């Protein structure tokens, strides 16, 4: 993160998160630096690190930073609470217990999707389903459903970037990607048979979020055979849980 005193850097990161949690608004690098009494260069570096970790998002046009839902979630978990946004996490835990699958919230970060909440199930234990895990956005259901919310031109640019970082043999064709995106837009759900783990299938829907927040996906991972047999029921359960966010 920085080459300076790690304790000082950690303290500054916490101060920045507390600032955004209390202010409940966006702010520029200069505002954060002045409010917290730190050099602007340090504030800029730390803000960038928190963006990469999914705690903040940066608006390129205004150059302002804003907390993502990961910040209030962190505060609630630290306080020992298990509910957020009308009982969403409680509902996710109930789904995990009922299905024995893994339930995740995903947020896109460039060509990757990060799990900002990850509840691992008994039948889908994997190092891929952990808090903070990053997966290729074009390869997994939680990324695909998020991509479907974006304009076609943006998806094309992002795919070129992803393919540039990919093994040539594994590069995706734009026509194939857009055909799948069209299906996702029409039906409102995404799936990745095999997911990040062989034998496991991920199914995702969009999660309603407050205005100004980064888009989030809600995902259930279960064994592939179960996903194929219970696809309609899984999609219905995910939609019911997502709808509970808005009451």
């Amino acid at each position: 993160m920085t080459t300076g005193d790690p304790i000082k850097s950690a303290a500054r990161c916490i101060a920045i998160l507390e600032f955004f949690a209390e202010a409940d608004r966006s702010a520029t690098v200069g505002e954060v630096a002045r409010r917290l009494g730190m050099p602007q260069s340090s504030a800029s570096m730390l803000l960038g690190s928190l963006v990469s970790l999914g705690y903040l998002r940066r608006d390129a046009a205004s150059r302002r930073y804003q907390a993502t839902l990961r910040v209030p979630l962190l505060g609630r978990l630290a306080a020992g609470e298990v509910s957020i946004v009308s009982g969403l996490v409680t509902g996710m835990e109930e789904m995990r217990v009922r299905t024995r699958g893994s339930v995740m919230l995903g947020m896109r970060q460039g060509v990757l999707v990060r799990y900002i909440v990850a509840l691992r199930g008994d039948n889908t234990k994997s190092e891929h389903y952990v808090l903070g895990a990053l997966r290729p956005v074009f390869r997994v259901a939680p990324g695909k459903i998020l991509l479907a919310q974006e304009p076609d031109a943006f998806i094309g640019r992002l795919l070129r970037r992803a393919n540039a970082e990919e093994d040539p043999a594994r590069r995706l064709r734009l026509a194939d990607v857009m055909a799948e995106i069209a299906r996702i837009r029409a039906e409102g759900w995404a799936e990745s048979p095999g997911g990040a783990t062989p034998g496991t299938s991920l199914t995702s829907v969009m999660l309603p979020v407050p205005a100004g927040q980064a888009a989030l996906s809600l995902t259930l991972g279960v064994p592939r055979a179960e996903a194929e047999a219970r696809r309609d029921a899984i999609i219905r359960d995910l939609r019911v849980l997502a709808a509970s966010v808005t009451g």
Side-chain angles (χ1 to χ4, degrees):
M1 184 176 292
T2 72
T3 57
D5 181 350
I7 296 178
K8 187 174 185 179
S9 296
R12 283 176 168 174
C13 278
I14 293 171
I16 290 173
L17 292 175
E18 289 177 340
F19 165 77
F20 280 102
E22 294 170 2
D24 194 26
R25 63 176 178 82
S26 63
T28 64
V29 174
E31 290 178 77
V32 172
R34 287 191 298 273
R35 175 68 179 272
L36 301 180
M38 68 176 70
Q40 187 159 322
S41 59
S42 297
S44 179
M45 182 179 297
L46 294 171
L47 286 167
S49 295
L50 290 170
V51 168
S52 69
L53 291 171
Y55 289 100
L56 303 178
R57 63 188 297 262
R58 180 180 183 272
D59 183 89
S62 65
R63 298 183 180 180
R64 298 180 72 85
Y65 294 82
Q66 185 171 8
T68 69
L69 287 176
R70 196 171 183 188
V71 172
L73 176 61
L74 180 67
R76 288 173 183 252
L77 291 177
E81 298 178 19
V82 294
S83 62
I84 185 174
V85 194
S86 301
L88 174 60
V89 172
T90 298
M92 291 174 66
E93 173 62 16
E94 290 172 351
M95 179 176 285
R96 185 193 71 81
V97 172
R98 184 174 68 255
T99 65
R100 300 180 64 237
S102 295
V103 190
M104 291 84 70
L105 293 184
M107 179 175 66
R108 189 181 66 80
Q109 291 184 254
V111 297
L112 301 171
V113 60
R114 181 185 293 276
Y115 297 147
I116 64 170
V117 177
L119 307 179
R120 284 198 290 179
D122 296 334
N123 62 10
T124 54
K125 289 184 177 179
S126 167
E127 69 277 10
H128 296 296
Y129 306 144
V130 295
L131 180 65
L134 290 165
R135 305 300 302 152
V137 72
F138 285 95
R139 302 283 183 180
V140 294
K144 294 176 184 180
I145 191 74
L146 291 168
L147 287 172
Q149 317 309 308
E150 302 287 355
D152 290 0
F154 176 85
I155 296 172
R157 292 194 298 272
L158 198 66
L159 180 61
R160 287 193 292 274
R161 178 179 161 192
N163 277 339
E165 301 173 7
E166 185 63 271
D167 183 313
R170 286 176 49 81
R171 288 174 181 168
L172 300 172
R173 294 177 62 249
L174 179 59
D176 294 337
V177 169
M178 295 312 301
E180 184 171 15
I181 291 295
R183 198 280 306 161
I184 292 170
R185 287 171 175 165
E187 299 182 7
W189 57 274
E191 186 177 50
S192 51
T197 304
T200 298
S201 182
L202 303 180
T203 306
S204 301
V205 301
M206 288 300 297
L207 184 77
V209 297
Q213 282 289 342
L216 297 177
S217 56
L218 174 64
T219 300
L220 174 65
V222 296
R224 186 169 180 174
E226 179 181 347
E228 293 174 352
R230 299 186 58 252
R231 180 176 290 113
D232 290 345
I234 288 172
I235 294 168
R236 182 179 63 250
D237 287 350
L238 284 168
R239 285 174 170 164
V240 168
L241 178 54
S244 71
V245 173
T246 54

